[in-house]
Amino acid sequence: MTKREHTIILLLVIEMKPIVKTIKDKLLEAWKVADGVARGKAIETIEFEAEELDHIFGILVLASFVGLPSPPMQISLDLMPLMEQELMLMMEKVDTAHEPISDLFSVFDIG
Amino acid sequence: MAGATNMFFMGKGGVGKSTAAALNSLFLAQKGFQILIVSLDPAHNQSDIFETSLSDKPTKIADNLMGIEIDQDYWIRRYLKDVQNQIKRTYSYLTSFNLEKYFEVIKYSPGLEEYALILVFKDIMQKFGHLDFLMFDMPPTALGLRFFTLPTLSLIWIEQLVALRQEIIKKRDLITKVKLIKKEVETDKILNKINEMKKDYQNLKDIFEDSNQTLINIVLNPDKLSLAESTRIVEALHDINITCSQIINNKMQLHSSCDDINTTFSDIPICQCPYSETQLIGLTNLEQFLKANDSVLEEQVNHLLPSAAEK
């Protein structure tokens, strides 16, 4: 290789460096998105299960306020100040309470 | 003596449990023990028996003897106010919510009466635990039994709630790991609170089950009805692992037969307490009765605490 050819290749590599970096960044970004989506998909059902358990916990503790059997009143009252999230969830669930199957279908992406 | 011994007096209405509590308290006070008699019965007979106006603050009745009468409604109101304030602090979106209205209704909820008694019991133990004896004149049977059952019942529920909460936390941890979210250092407040409650109720249950800390006297009369109710009390307490320390067969007369009582409670010490011709009201009458029946009270204390009689 002549000295001239060597210089041209060197200049080319220098010029290509930012392009390679951009491609690498884009690929990394795409990988992160794909990974995020995959992870999201993987735990969708677990998230639904956790939410359902939260709901069951809410109903179990605060059931007396909607007329269901419940623990001794003082247990409900002692936990009530800490159960804002469960109460909100119970209120949200009222909307979907009449269509539990459609709620379940949406979790499994059945359209 | 390490810590106060709790002595409870239970039995059917009208058998003389308040009088038995008063006599035992006075007897032990005369022996030199520091005594606090606590009236948990909403009927509050202790003020009448000692002819001394009692309140929620300890009032001196005699040497070494103080008395307190509990206002159950006050304790329910105080507890609900506490919860209400906590809710107001945490639930910011409920500021316009009329909580007072709801708590007005909650105060009539079943279960709060016995919880108020539990709160009182804890408070008395904390404030007067340094005394020798805390004597509790108990409310009617149904409420009295619910008082003793409450820790056991609450623990059954708490066990279930802990298991469910742990399952929720496990799932949340998994979600956090998969989503690569920075793990929250903050621990689950609800689980902490439930564990705190569990410790509290277990402690109460242990106190009730420990026959060195808790002595339960069942007061009855030589008649079928009070015997039947006393049998039910002993059985109900036995079901929750609490043993009765003594049966006080009160208002015994010469012609009274106690064969049925002796047969029914063959494994529990029974003490015969004679019928008093004069009404046991006022310190003088009570002291006279104690003087005349010193051996009876001595026997009662011997049954419960052999070391107490020696003092």
Side-chain angles (χ1 to χ4, degrees), chain B residues 136-197:
Chain B
F136 294 93
D137 180 12
M138 293 299 280
T141 305
L143 181 54
L145 283 178
R146 291 208 305 271
F147 165 81
F148 284 113
T149 319
L150 190 115
T152 309
L153 197 66
S154 301
L155 280 170
I156 294 171
W157 273 92
I158 284 172
E159 291 292 341
Q160 296 304 314
L161 293 179
V162 167
L164 184 54
R165 203 70 212 164
Q166 278 167 343
E167 180 81 2
I168 292 172
I169 293 168
K170 217 167 94 185
K171 293 237 185 288
R172 282 207 189 130
D173 271 355
L174 193 65
I175 294 168
T176 315
K177 267 181 207 158
V178 176
K179 276 191 164 178
L180 303 173
I181 304 167
K182 201 178 166 197
K183 198 171 174 168
E184 285 175 30
V185 185
E186 191 187 25
T187 46
D188 190 83
K189 280 182 189 166
I190 295 177
L191 186 65
N192 284 351
K193 181 73 187 173
I194 301 176
N195 281 329
E196 209 178 281
M197 286 156 74

Side-chain angles (χ1 to χ4, degrees), chain A residues 39 43 46-47 49 53-54 57 60 70-74 77-84 86-87, chain B residues 79-80 83 86 90-91 93 109 115 154 157 161 165 167-168 171-172 174-175 178-179 190 193 201:
Chain A
R39 283 173 190 277
I43 51 151
I46 301 168
E47 269 181 326
E49 271 176 32
L53 285 175
D54 267 337
F57 188 84
L60 207 60
S70 65
M73 183 51 104
Q74 82 281 355
L77 288 174
D78 283 345
L79 290 177
M80 210 174 152
L82 305 170
M83 291 182 62
E84 190 178 16
E86 281 78 4
L87 260 178
Chain B
Y79 168 63
L80 289 180
V83 177
Q86 279 183 55
T90 0
Y91 293 15
Y93 66 95
S109 294
Y115 188 57
S154 301
W157 273 92
L161 293 179
R165 203 70 212 164
E167 180 81 2
I168 292 172
K171 293 237 185 288
R172 282 207 189 130
L174 193 65
I175 294 168
V178 176
K179 276 191 164 178
I190 295 177
K193 181 73 187 173
Y201 288 119

Side-chain angles (χ1 to χ4, degrees), chain B residues 9 11 13 16 31 39 43 51 55 57-58 78 81 100 108 153 182 207 221 225 242 259 271 297 311:
Chain B
F9 292 84
K31 286 252 170 198
S39 172
E51 289 182 322
S55 70
K57 303 270 180 300
R78 196 178 107 159
K81 193 82 203 155
E100 276 84 6
Y108 299 111
L153 197 66
K182 201 178 166 197
I207 291 173
N221 295 151
L225 281 181
I242 298 176
D259 292 346
C271 175
L297 270 296
K311 184 162 175 177

Side-chain angles (χ1 to χ4, degrees), chain B residues 214-239:
Chain B
T214 299
L215 302 169
I216 297 179
N217 294 284
I218 309 291
V219 185
L220 52 73
N221 295 151
D223 65 64
K224 279 192 172 178
L225 281 181
S226 73
L227 172 62
E229 189 161 322
S230 304
T231 312
R232 282 196 290 275
I233 297 175
V234 172
E235 281 169 2
L237 291 177
H238 182 261
D239 286 348

